[in-house]
Amino acid sequence: MSPASLDRPLTLALSKGRIFDETMPLLAAAGIQVTENPETSRKLILPTSSPNLQLIIVRATDVPTYVQYGAADFGIAGKDVLVEHAAEHPGGLYQPIDLNIARCRLCVAVREGFDYEAAVHQGSRLRIATKYVKAAREHFARKGVYVDIIKLYGSMELAPLVGLADAIVDLVSTGGTLRANNLVAVEDIVEISSRLIVNQASLKTRADALQPLIDAFAQASANP
Ligand code: PRT
Ligand code: MG
């Protein structure tokens, strides 16, 4: 799948924001610096201090796609993104390490005062708004609760406030966004962190260049 060529640099796919920011110390531990800042630069391909490594900046949800098709040799993506990607594109991505960065948890949240336990026990259908359709569907299937899933692409917190849904499934880190919108987390579904993902063909054909970086990431994330 990977158009492996010996002279092109390895390509690492990252999203800007928290994943980029938390990846910089891991690259630094491997002796690699990035001088351009994706928040201010409009460049989507960023060089690094290593001639053997370049970064591409893509949307968080697109990282697995670039890696799966070999347009990037490796990438960093949240477990939330990887679960949803795998639902549509099974196989194809090697996940050697949990980098323990961009940590948060996937939760069910409702409006303050909404009696979630009663709503769940009644056996009536719940309306759930979320970007995480697969994770939400599996969570409620495990509980034996019937749900109608409404797919949203952002600002999930709004949905229970305006009557679009009874509950949301969303990521929570500090809890500040829920509090600001009078929502409360009523269930934790899973702990989330970001993983290194590697294109399987690159792993075979470019192991000489890739493996030292994978090892450096593993070491830096185990000893932050
Ligand atoms: O923001 P954009 O639409 O461009 O894309 P994205 O949301 O997919 O990317 P980004 O960079 O925001 O998130 C990338 C990855 O960071 C996610 O896939 C998660 O694995 C991880 N991560 C860690 C988070 C959070 N913490 C987080 N708090 N992703 C999103 N959030 C959001 C959450 O959805 C909610 O809206 O932040 C809000 C809650 O934060 P608190 O601190 O108020 O609880
Ligand atoms: Mg975001």
Side-chain angles (χ1 to χ4, degrees):
M1 238 172 170
S2 169
S5 114
L6 292 173
D7 46 8
R8 81 176 163 87
L10 284 174
T11 299
L12 175 68
L14 289 179
S15 53
K16 62 184 181 184
R18 65 191 103 221
I19 288 185
F20 182 91
D21 297 344
E22 295 187 39
T23 298
M24 290 307 106
L26 300 180
L27 283 175
I32 295 170
Q33 272 75 41
V34 181
T35 45
E36 267 179 280
N37 174 358
E39 299 298 339
T40 50
S41 165
R42 289 172 190 231
K43 281 192 193 163
L44 298 175
I45 301 180
L46 302 183
T48 72
S49 59
S50 163
N52 298 323
L53 181 71
Q54 65 179 8
L55 309 184
I56 59 172
I57 305 299
V58 304
R59 286 295 292 264
T61 46
D62 291 334
V63 167
T65 305
Y66 279 85
V67 176
Q68 181 150 12
Y69 285 91
D73 300 287
F74 56 157
I76 297 176
K79 184 176 172 186
D80 49 316
V81 165
L82 294 172
V83 164
E84 301 301 316
H85 178 85
E88 285 167 36
H89 314 270
L93 285 176
Y94 174 61
Q95 281 185 49
I97 33 177
D98 181 351
L99 296 171
N100 264 311
I101 60 170
R103 298 185 61 89
C104 57
R105 49 194 221 280
L106 188 68
C107 295
V108 181
V110 299
R111 245 176 34 213
E112 244 167 57
F114 178 86
D115 193 343
Y116 178 69
E117 288 307 317
V120 159
H121 283 129
Q122 268 163 13
S124 63
R125 290 183 94 92
L126 274 183
R127 296 224 301 188
I128 308 293
T130 189
K131 181 162 136 185
Y132 307 101
V133 170
K134 178 178 155 70
R137 206 179 286 295
E138 286 179 351
H139 173 68
F140 288 103
R142 275 194 301 274
K143 291 169 65 77
V145 174
Y146 290 104
V147 288
D148 291 314
I149 306 266
I150 300 171
K151 166 108 191 191
L152 293 178
Y153 292 87
S155 302
M156 264 84 80
E157 293 86 358
L158 185 60
L161 305 179
V162 296
L164 179 63
D166 302 306
I168 60 172
V169 167
D170 195 9
L171 301 174
V172 178
S173 49
T174 63
T177 307
L178 292 183
R179 274 193 300 280
N181 291 291
N182 299 314
L183 301 176
V184 287
V186 286
E187 252 172 5
D188 286 350
I189 299 178
V190 65
E191 295 286 324
I192 301 285
S193 55
S194 285
R195 317 290 161 112
L196 188 69
I197 53 174
V198 183
N199 175 271
Q200 294 192 339
S202 296
L203 192 65
K204 293 200 189 90
T205 59
R206 311 203 65 195
D208 294 358
L210 258 175
Q211 198 60 51
L213 277 170
I214 295 174
D215 294 344
F217 279 162
Q219 210 187 338
S221 58
N223 310 293

